[in-house]
């Protein structure tokens, strides 16, 4: 397929390289700066452009991979004059209806993963969630998705918002917990890498166990002596102390409900 990528950030970089490797042709990379557009186009091919009016008028798919906060501005700019083309956005939390009234064929192409430009990911392992306004768009979505992964799921905008919420808990909040652990360790002369075997084993366990069954620690049994002592150690960090106490209580309540 001939593809136009709108965006040149982390997702666009990873997705563009993967689609190219799957045999698709990237005919254009659009970004708000020519420097960013050219940097990605140099890797995956295509015409680098920094203006919506310079985007080719025809392609098999236009994939918009930009920040959620600018999506409402980007969609009308890039669909103008291309109303019969097939467009997708890649935002987990934004509805498909953002395209309504601006183009006839539109959908969502959401690979659920955390991306960085420096660390390539294997799309074959990434669940990709698709949604489409019509049969033509769904056909394109399936062809694109199935060319890079076997884990393809149709999901409505309503359900995808809960998927995205769950992903925030499972990824973003967990990573912030890593950051808090690193802060505590560094303040006392220890390196975060001592946590890595524990983190890796915890992640491995939930491949085989439900997270409720994998939970360990003082909060499960609500060991008040340990919890109180930990809270005291956090007296100079009131937000962390509050979070520790709330999470401990919530873990205990969930454990009681699960028994």
């Amino acid at each position: 397929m001939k593809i136009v990528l709108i965006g040149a950030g982390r997702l666009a970089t990873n997705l563009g390289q993967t689609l190219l490797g799957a045999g698709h042709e990237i005919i254009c990379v659009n970004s708000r700066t020519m420097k960013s557009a050219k940097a990605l186009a140099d890797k995956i091919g295509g015409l680098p452009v920094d203006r919506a009016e310079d985007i080719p008028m025809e392609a098999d798919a236009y994939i918009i991979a930009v920040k959620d906060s600018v999506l409402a501005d980007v969609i009308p700019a890039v669909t103008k004059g291309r109303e019969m083309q097939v467009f997708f956005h890649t935002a987990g939390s934004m509805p498909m209806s953002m395209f309504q009234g601006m183009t006839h064929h539109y959908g969502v192409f959401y690979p659920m993963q955390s991306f960085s430009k420096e660390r390539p990911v294997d799309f074959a392992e990434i669940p990709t969630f698709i949604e489409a306004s019509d049969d033509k768009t769904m056909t394109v979505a399936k062809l694109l998705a199935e060319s890079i992964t076997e884990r393809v799921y149709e999901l409505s905008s309503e359900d995808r918002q809960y998927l995205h919420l769950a992903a925030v808990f499972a990824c973003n909040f967990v990573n912030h917990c890593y950051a808090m652990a690193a802060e505590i360790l560094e303040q006392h002369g220890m390196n975060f890498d001592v946590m890595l075997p524990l983190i890796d084993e915890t992640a491995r366990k939930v491949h085989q166990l439900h997270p409720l069954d994998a939970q360990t620690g003082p909060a499960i049994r609500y060991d008040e002596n340990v919890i109180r002592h930990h809270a005291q150690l956090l007296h100079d960090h009131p937000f962390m102390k509050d979070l520790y106490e709330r999470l401990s209580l919530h873990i205990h309540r969930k454990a009681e409900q699960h028994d």
Side-chain angles (χ1 to χ4, degrees):
M1 288 189 180
K2 296 183 183 298
I3 297 167
V4 170
L5 269 182
I6 298 153
R10 292 174 293 180
L11 173 55
T13 298
N14 280 272
L15 183 57
Q17 291 172 328
T18 300
L19 289 169
L20 180 67
H24 302 286
E25 181 185 357
I26 312 301
I27 64 169
C28 178
V29 176
N30 168 245
S31 183
R32 61 185 179 84
T33 69
M34 181 59 75
K35 180 180 178 181
S36 296
K38 191 173 185 308
L40 182 53
D42 285 345
K43 294 178 182 178
I44 62 176
L47 174 71
V49 300
D50 60 358
R51 301 190 308 166
E53 53 264 40
D54 294 331
I55 296 171
M57 299 304 291
E58 292 187 5
D60 295 310
Y62 294 74
I63 301 177
I64 305 174
V66 298
K67 294 188 296 186
D68 293 4
S69 59
V70 301
L71 196 54
D73 295 324
V74 170
I75 286 176
V78 299
T79 56
K80 186 178 180 180
R82 305 173 185 85
E83 289 83 1
M84 299 308 296
Q85 303 302 309
V86 176
F87 285 86
F88 299 100
H89 76 60
T90 56
S93 62
M94 307 301 284
M96 180 176 70
S97 60
M98 294 191 73
F99 286 107
Q100 210 159 23
M102 286 178 271
T103 182
H104 295 284
H105 307 293
Y106 55 89
V108 178
F109 189 95
Y110 174 51
M112 192 180 68
Q113 184 54 279
S114 175
F115 295 97
S116 64
K117 290 184 179 180
E118 301 77 18
R119 182 177 171 84
V121 297
D122 183 2
F123 267 80
E125 299 177 354
I126 298 176
T128 298
F129 299 86
I130 58 175
E131 185 181 13
S133 63
D134 58 278
D135 290 344
K136 176 181 178 179
T137 307
M138 181 57 76
T139 297
V140 175
K142 286 183 176 179
L143 285 171
L144 284 173
E146 290 172 359
S147 71
I148 59 176
T149 179
E150 294 181 357
R151 304 186 67 181
V152 180
Y153 308 91
E154 293 183 38
L155 194 68
S156 68
S157 290
E158 182 180 2
D159 287 335
R160 194 177 63 259
Q161 65 183 346
Y162 291 102
L163 175 75
H164 191 260
L165 172 61
V168 168
F169 273 97
C171 175
N172 306 129
F173 287 175
V174 169
N175 189 72
H176 185 64
C177 287
Y178 296 160
M180 288 189 291
E183 181 180 349
I184 291 168
L185 291 168
E186 289 161 4
Q187 287 176 350
H188 296 276
M190 291 174 277
N191 294 322
F192 180 70
D193 61 8
V194 300
M195 291 286 118
L196 296 180
L198 178 63
I199 289 169
D200 292 343
E201 176 58 18
T202 302
R204 281 192 292 265
K205 279 200 295 187
V206 295
H207 281 260
Q208 299 175 331
L209 300 174
H210 189 281
L212 287 173
D213 294 319
Q215 187 71 55
T216 61
I220 280 279
R221 56 192 181 274
Y222 210 73
D223 188 330
E224 292 190 46
N225 290 334
V226 175
I227 291 170
R228 190 181 302 114
H229 178 61
H230 284 170
Q232 289 171 350
L233 293 176
L234 292 168
H235 64 89
D236 289 334
H237 306 277
F239 286 114
M240 289 173 65
K241 179 176 179 291
D242 181 61
L243 184 58
Y244 175 89
E245 291 173 335
R246 289 173 182 269
L247 280 173
S248 294
L249 183 58
H250 196 262
I251 289 168
H252 179 62
R253 288 178 175 173
K254 282 292 184 184
E256 286 189 321
Q257 294 169 4
H258 185 58
D259 284 343

